[in-house]
Amino acid sequence: VSLVRPRRITIQDQIERLRYHVRTGSSLQFDDLLSSRSSRLEVAVTLLAVLELIKRREVAAVQDSMFGPIQIKGVQAAELAT
């Protein structure tokens, strides 16, 4: 009998992953940070990571329409776009 262990995901892991993506200066969508079979836990942890980086002023998030995709940009890229 083998046990299936859920993938361990932490806020710090997601922060590092998000920082890696925004270092290139390109924007990404919130959905791009999630795995193809994301769980509620993964969505919640990823959201907390995004909110933490917004609080630290490292990223900016924009949602053009209600229920639309959430675009995330590094602060330098977001400042250049405005």
Side-chain angles (χ1 to χ4, degrees), residues 57-69:
R57 299 177 188 217
E58 294 183 37
V59 300
V62 177
Q63 187 177 27
D64 291 328
S65 62
M66 193 179 298
F67 304 110

Side-chain angles (χ1 to χ4, degrees), residues 6-64:
R7 186 175 136 220
R8 185 170 179 256
I9 183 169
T10 66
I11 295 171
Q12 189 60 41
D13 290 342
Q14 289 301 82
I15 286 174
E16 292 305 318
R17 187 169 176 217
L18 183 54
R19 282 180 175 152
Y20 174 79
H21 284 289
V22 298
R23 270 188 212 130
T24 63
S26 61
S27 68
L28 68 150
Q29 290 187 7
F30 181 79
D31 290 344
D32 296 337
L33 296 170
L34 304 173
S35 63
S36 60
R37 302 181 80 202
S38 59
S39 64
R40 288 182 188 176
L41 178 64
E42 182 180 0
V43 173
V45 168
T46 303
L47 178 61
L48 289 172
V50 170
L51 292 173
E52 181 62 29
L53 290 180
I54 290 170
K55 182 177 94 175
R56 294 180 187 182
R57 299 177 188 217
E58 294 183 37
V59 300
V62 177
Q63 187 177 27
D64 291 328

